[in-house]
Structure formats: structure tokens, C-alpha cells
Amino acid sequence: MKNKKSEKVKKERVFFFVYIALLIFSVIFLEILLRLVGFGIDTKPFHKVKINGVNYYRDNTSFINKYYPSSSKQIKTEEKNLFPVKKTPGKIRGFVVGGSTAQGYPYTSNQSFSAMLQRSLIDANMGKSAEVINMGYSAMSSYYVADVAKKILKYEPDFLLIYAGHNEYYGTISAMSGQSHNGRKKYLALKEFRLFQLFDNLLHFKKKSYGGKTLMDRQFAGAAFLQNEEKDLEIARNFVNNINEVVKLYAKKNIPVIIYEPVSNLFDMPPFAGKDDDKYKSLVKRSLVALENGDENEIKACREQGKKYQDNANLAYLEAVYQTRGDEDSYLQLIKAKDADCIPFRTRSQLTAELEAYCRKSSNRNLFYIPTSVLMRNNQILPDNNFFADHLHFSIKGNRWIALQAAGVLQNIFSLESDKMFDIFVMDNDDFYKQFPLSEFDRYRVARSVLSLVENEPFVSMLIPYYPEFPVGNENIVTSDAGLYRIIRDCKQEDFYLNACAYLLQGGKYILAREVAQSFVKCFPANAKARDFLSQSLKLLGFEKEAEEERKVSKCLSGK
């Protein structure tokens, strides 16, 4: 009897293990099958491409979808990176990660501080090469930074540069996601698997998305975050935990990590929304009229009344305006107004304080902290429209200064030639702009990007309007050509250069077509169509050899 029972138990165990083995096999089989048929998101940041016999890495334009809800290929990134697979001896290879500020918006990545830093490193690296790969993307939070930093290790980084912090409330994986910190981490880990992506798609299939016109509008989705010390501190500490994960990982490989304190436009950027705005709307409007008219008695009355309600971001901002008007130091008051903003696209002080405390306390010799706001104050640089293109993205002046701060850190890390390292930063503006040319066409594209942002939510609902300064005059090569203006005025950003190049070539404007095509290639070097347009314009201008070289590159990039 005992033998029969033990035999039965053995059989049940065997069946159980067989069942588990079959289950695991089925999962693995389905995962492999989904990958073979091309379902879901390939989460590698780069793909290989062979150009004239040399292997390069180019952007995997769909990998960023891993960091968005659902697992469909809704977003396509720019083809901004192209670098050799083989890293030559002595070459310095760095990576920049973060959100849209790290990306360089409203400029392209190859017109931003990462490109300026690359040029500085090339000048100082004693005849050896250097490359700075930009992995910044709009709406990416510190969860993206922590995740993509692991992937970057495969590509032999010599340093990692982080500019992040503004997307912790409204980023794609952020406070808006509605999960716990660990829940967000697990979600990203599971999205590496196509089988999970399948279930994720089914889960999001019937969910309606907020139909905003811009990415910022869609991420905002009408949500507000009132100041809440406990919640703000939780978000700040989650951010620091993600940064710490990266720092510890890179310390094991002895790779330096440089992190900026995130900063934003304080002087010229009013809050998006304040607590109980409806209650104080009439007072805010009265104050604005009084300031515009220079009515001193009314200004005094409005200021006295506004002082009673400083928990409202707009009234706090107006107090800062009064202080500035009276030659008082309004910096702390502007910080107070920014922190009280109920739509915190600009990071709150709890986060920057937690980041600074973490970096100051760290004993890791491979962690380098850049206290951006302190350095700006020490150098008498105002956080205003001169330094920022909008609420938090840098102007060309801002990009140049931000690149300089990282250059100083890297010069010490790699013992580079200091006189050459800083050559581009001590040039006068005219010479500098020759090194980093921004054509009138580029400037128009930048202005159009900023305009598309401020013409939508949450900007259009602000009680105190924001007025950006555009890097382009009323008359330029775009607006003076009615046909060109009509072609690109309302086109999607990704079609901007495409439409312009096609129009100019068809119209026989070959010199201008070459200029635009060169900008196209500079901004997006892995884009096959950019190379093709440049090849066509060069050929039509009689540069046969150069045209043929670009045609070959285009052919390799297109896979034809």
C-alpha cells in the first residue's frame, strides 16, 4: 500500500515538473516566435549599418516606444546619431541622456550643447577623436535615464552626462503613470519581452488617449499637481533613487557620471497655473493692467492685496515682478512662484535639493555634480529669455554656457589640453556661429517649434501670458519666398527639411537647396533622404565627386 502511495506521489511530481517545463517552453517559444515575426518594440537603442565597408551604429527609431504606455510603434525618433562600431584607441566616447532639454529642443541634438561639447573634446584630445552621442528624448523621465544607462554600457562609454528632472511629474513614466516606484521599474523590465508587450497592447487597446496637439499638451492631459510636501518629496526621492542606480552601476565599471542640476526660465516665464486661480483672476488682471499703464497707485494697491495670497503661483510671480521693478533681488520670490506652479513642468525645489544633498554626500569619485543655478548666479547670468528659448529649454547662448560647464569637468577627468578645450567658448559670437552654423532656415524651424508649443496647452490657458523671443526676424529666406513658406508652414516637424529640399530643387534654387540639405544632414546624419537631397543638389551644382559620395552613403542607409 505504501509503495503504491509513494509511486503515485512520484508520478504527480513528474507530471508537475513536466507541466512546468512545458509552460516555460511555451512561453519561450511564443517569445521567440513574436520576435521572428517582428511583433512589438525592438528595445535596442541602435542598429548596425555598413557604409562603404565600415560598420556604424545608427538610431533604432522605434526603441523609444518602450517608455510610452502600450507597446505599439507610435513614436518615431530622429535619425540623429551615426557613429562607428569600432572604437579606435584613444577616442573619447560620451553619452548624453535625459529629456527634451538634453535632446536640445527646440534646436536639434546636433545643434545643441552635446554637439558643442563634442567639438570641444575633439579640439583638446591631442589629435585623437571624440564623439558625444545624444540620447535625450522629449518627455523622458529619470526612469528612462536609469533604464537606458544600462543599455549604453554595451557601446563602450567613457563618460555619461545626465540632464534630467523636469519630467518627473508629466513624463511618460512618471507621477502621471499612477504606479509605485517599484511598479514602474517592474513595468519597464517586463517591456523587454515581446510576450508582455502583446498583453500590454491588449490592455491599452480600448483606452482613449488625450488628444493634445503637441507632445507637451498630451503629456499634460489637463492634470494638475498642487504643492504637496509629502508627494513632492516622494517624487524627488524616486528621482534620486534612479540616479543612484546609474551611479552605482557605472562606478563598478569606473565610468564617470556627470549630472547637472536642472534649471528653468524664472524671470520671463510666469506660472502655468496657480492654486484657486479663478478666485484671484480679477486681481491678476488688474495687476497686469496697472503694470502696463504704469499706474503707481493701482500697482501699490494690487501689491498689498496680492501679498495676502502668496500660496497662489501667479500672485507670487507678480510680487517678484514688483520686486524686480523696484531693483530688489527677486530670485527667491521667483523660485517660490515656480514651486507653487500647479502644472510643474519646471522641476520643484525639493527635487533639486534632494539631488544636491545626494551628490554632496556621495563618496563616489566618479560622480561629478554641476550646481547649475549657483554657477549662473555667481556668473551673473539671469534665468530669462536670453538664456532659455521657452520655459526650460536652452537658447543657443544657454546651450553654449551649459556645454562649457561640462567641458571644465571633462578637462580634469581626462587631463585634456585646457587651452584648446575652451577655444570655442572664448570665441566672439560671430566666429562661434561660423563653427556651429544656424542658417536662416534653421532659425525659422526653431522659431516655429517654439511657436507651436506656446500656441497650445498649457500655455494658452495661462493667466499671465508668456512671450518668447524668437531667433528669427520677420523677413528671412522662408517668409520671403511665398511658395516655400506655404509648403513648410503647416507641415509636420519631421517633414520640414524634406518638403523644403524638394521644393527648392524643383524650383531650380540649387545653392539654397544645398544649404538646406547640408543642414538636414548635419542634424540627421543617419537619414538616407537627407543624404540623397544633398547628393542631388551637389550634382546639379557640378560637384560630381562629392555628390557620388553622398549617393553611396544614402544607398547604404536606405538598405537599397
Side-chain angles (χ1 to χ4, degrees):
M1 197 74 175
K2 277 186 178 181
N3 289 337
K4 284 184 178 180
K5 278 186 178 180
S6 65
E7 209 172 301
K8 186 180 179 182
V9 170
K10 283 180 182 177
K11 283 183 178 179
E12 286 175 351
R13 284 179 180 171
V14 170
F15 284 134
F16 174 76
F17 286 120
V18 169
Y19 172 76
I20 294 297
L22 285 171
L23 190 62
I24 293 170
F25 175 78
S26 299
V27 169
I28 293 171
F29 174 76
L30 282 171
E31 178 69 20
I32 292 170
L33 181 64
L34 289 171
R35 288 172 184 265
L36 287 173
V37 299
F39 173 82
I41 305 162
D42 177 357
T43 61
K44 295 190 296 290
F46 302 107
H47 287 156
K48 286 182 182 178
V49 60
K50 186 170 279 190
I51 301 175
N52 298 331
V54 179
N55 284 320
Y56 286 82
Y57 286 120
R58 67 187 299 186
D59 296 293
N60 170 10
T61 57
S62 65
F63 105 99
I64 204 69
N65 287 282
K66 176 186 173 180
Y67 306 97
Y68 284 83
S70 89
S71 296
S72 57
K73 299 175 185 176
Q74 298 176 353
I75 308 292
K76 186 178 179 183
T77 64
E78 301 161 338
E79 296 170 294
K80 59 184 180 179
N81 294 305
L82 186 68
F83 60 102
V85 170
K86 186 178 180 181
K87 185 180 168 189
T88 55
K91 174 183 278 189
I92 296 174
R93 178 180 288 174
F95 287 79
V96 173
V97 296
S100 52
T101 307
Q103 180 182 9
Y105 182 90
Y107 301 91
T108 66
S109 296
N110 291 314
Q111 296 167 329
S112 72
F113 72 87
S114 60
M116 298 171 191
L117 185 60
Q118 176 175 283
R119 173 58 190 275
S120 173
L121 287 169
I122 290 170
D123 288 348
N125 198 20
M126 295 171 281
K128 296 171 185 175
S129 188
E131 54 201 9
V132 179
I133 315 303
N134 191 299
M135 295 291 290
Y137 292 101
S138 293
M140 294 297 108
S141 69
S142 61
Y143 290 93
Y144 162 77
V145 170
D147 191 73
V148 81
K150 300 171 195 170
K151 298 176 183 289
I152 286 172
L153 287 172
K154 177 183 176 181
Y155 305 99
E156 305 176 74
D158 292 303
F159 69 89
L160 183 72
L161 187 61
I162 301 172
Y163 191 104
H166 290 307
N167 291 324
E168 302 309 298
Y169 290 86
Y170 292 104
T172 57
I173 304 291
S174 64
M176 281 283 282
S177 305
Q179 302 163 305
S180 66
H181 175 69
N182 288 333
R184 293 168 201 151
K185 304 293 281 188
K186 288 172 184 174
Y187 176 71
L188 285 177
L190 287 168
K191 279 193 83 170
E192 288 291 324
F193 301 99
R194 308 296 173 90
L195 192 56
F196 178 81
Q197 291 180 27
L198 175 62
F199 292 130
D200 194 38
N201 271 352
L202 294 172
L203 184 66
H204 287 89
F205 182 69
K206 291 187 177 180
K207 285 191 177 181
K208 290 184 178 179
S209 60
Y210 179 79
K213 291 183 179 179
T214 64
L215 179 57
M216 185 177 180
D217 187 6
R218 291 193 294 275
Q219 292 304 125
F220 162 51
F225 289 89
L226 272 67
Q227 264 190 301
N228 181 306
E229 189 174 346
E230 186 179 342
K231 183 66 176 175
D232 292 336
L233 190 58
E234 178 192 338
I235 290 169
R237 286 176 176 169
N238 287 343
F239 172 81
V240 169
N241 285 337
N242 286 329
I243 298 302
N244 182 51
E245 183 182 319
V246 176
V247 171
K248 287 171 70 176
L249 178 64
Y250 275 59
K252 292 175 183 177
K253 308 284 185 181
N254 202 32
I255 300 171
V257 174
I258 304 164
I259 182 163
Y260 287 98
E261 172 200 4
V263 289
S264 54
N265 189 342
L266 298 177
F267 278 84
D268 292 317
M269 176 64 200
F272 286 110
K275 181 183 176 184
D276 299 325
D277 265 349
D278 287 341
K279 188 176 174 181
Y280 305 117
K281 186 184 288 186
S282 60
L283 176 57
V284 171
K285 289 187 175 179
R286 270 180 56 209
S287 302
L288 292 175
V289 171
L291 286 164
E292 187 176 351
N293 295 334
D295 187 337
E296 296 300 331
N297 290 330
E298 181 68 353
I299 288 171
K300 186 177 179 182
C302 289
R303 183 176 187 181
E304 288 303 313
Q305 193 175 349
K307 280 182 177 179
K308 301 172 187 176
Y309 313 111
Q310 288 295 291
D311 59 341
N312 176 274
N314 283 297
L315 292 174
Y317 179 77
L318 284 170
E319 174 59 28
V321 172
Y322 301 138
Q323 290 177 4
T324 304
R325 198 169 175 269
D327 292 328
E328 301 173 51
D329 187 350
S330 59
Y331 185 79
L332 293 179
Q333 184 66 25
L334 287 163
I335 294 287
K336 181 179 179 179
K338 182 260 298 178
D339 287 344
D341 194 338
C342 296
I343 304 175
F345 276 103
R346 297 176 295 171
T347 189
R348 286 177 173 158
S349 295
Q350 285 93 330
L351 187 145
T352 51
E354 287 291 313
L355 175 62
E356 181 179 10
Y358 163 75
C359 292
R360 298 293 185 203
K361 289 176 185 175
S362 176
S363 58
N364 188 331
R365 289 188 294 178
N366 282 311
L367 173 61
F368 299 87
Y369 173 63
I370 298 177
T372 322
S373 65
V374 174
L375 293 171
M376 288 176 70
R377 292 274 280 173
N378 290 346
N379 287 279
Q380 298 182 319
I381 296 172
L382 291 178
D384 58 11
N385 275 349
N386 195 31
F387 198 79
F388 293 94
D390 52 31
H391 59 306
L392 53 81
H393 302 107
F394 297 120
S395 64
I396 282 294
K397 178 182 177 180
N399 273 292
R400 185 177 179 180
W401 187 85
I402 284 292
L404 172 61
Q405 307 317 304
V409 175
L410 290 168
Q411 193 272 328
N412 289 324
I413 291 172
F414 297 109
S415 301
L416 300 170
E417 293 185 37
S418 59
D419 56 333
K420 293 183 180 179
M421 187 90 191
F422 304 105
D423 280 354
I424 65 164
F425 301 113
V426 296
M427 291 177 181
D428 62 35
N429 286 339
D430 289 341
D431 287 338
F432 179 81
Y433 290 132
K434 288 175 185 176
Q435 301 298 319
F436 296 93
L438 275 174
S439 67
E440 285 188 43
F441 186 84
D442 291 315
R443 292 176 187 275
Y444 176 80
R445 186 195 59 76
V446 169
R448 184 177 176 274
S449 294
V450 175
L451 188 62
S452 70
L453 201 67
V454 300
E455 286 182 338
N456 289 284
E457 295 290 358
F459 284 92
V460 292
S461 296
M462 293 168 66
L463 280 188
I464 305 174
Y466 170 62
Y467 301 103
E469 290 183 8
F470 296 115
V472 63
N474 292 326
E475 288 299 320
N476 57 78
I477 60 170
V478 177
T479 55
S480 61
D481 186 323
L484 177 59
Y485 180 65
R486 187 175 60 253
I487 287 285
I488 65 174
R489 181 186 56 195
D490 299 318
C491 71
K492 294 179 181 178
Q493 284 286 357
E494 56 266 30
D495 295 330
F496 198 79
Y497 287 101
L498 287 172
N499 291 0
C501 287
Y503 169 81
L504 293 168
L505 286 173
Q506 288 169 9
K509 300 178 180 181
Y510 303 141
I511 293 176
L512 187 53
R514 179 182 60 178
E515 182 183 342
V516 173
Q518 285 171 333
S519 289
F520 196 2
V521 169
K522 177 181 172 60
C523 294
F524 312 115
N527 188 297
K529 291 179 181 177
R531 301 282 185 170
D532 184 53
F533 276 123
L534 182 55
S535 174
Q536 289 182 54
S537 61
L538 288 167
K539 187 175 182 179
L540 289 165
L541 288 169
F543 299 98
E544 296 284 345
K545 184 179 177 181
E546 293 88 342
E548 180 59 19
E549 288 174 0
E550 290 297 336
R551 188 194 67 78
K552 287 178 180 178
V553 175
S554 175
K555 187 177 179 182
C556 293
L557 290 170
S558 65
K560 295 178 182 177

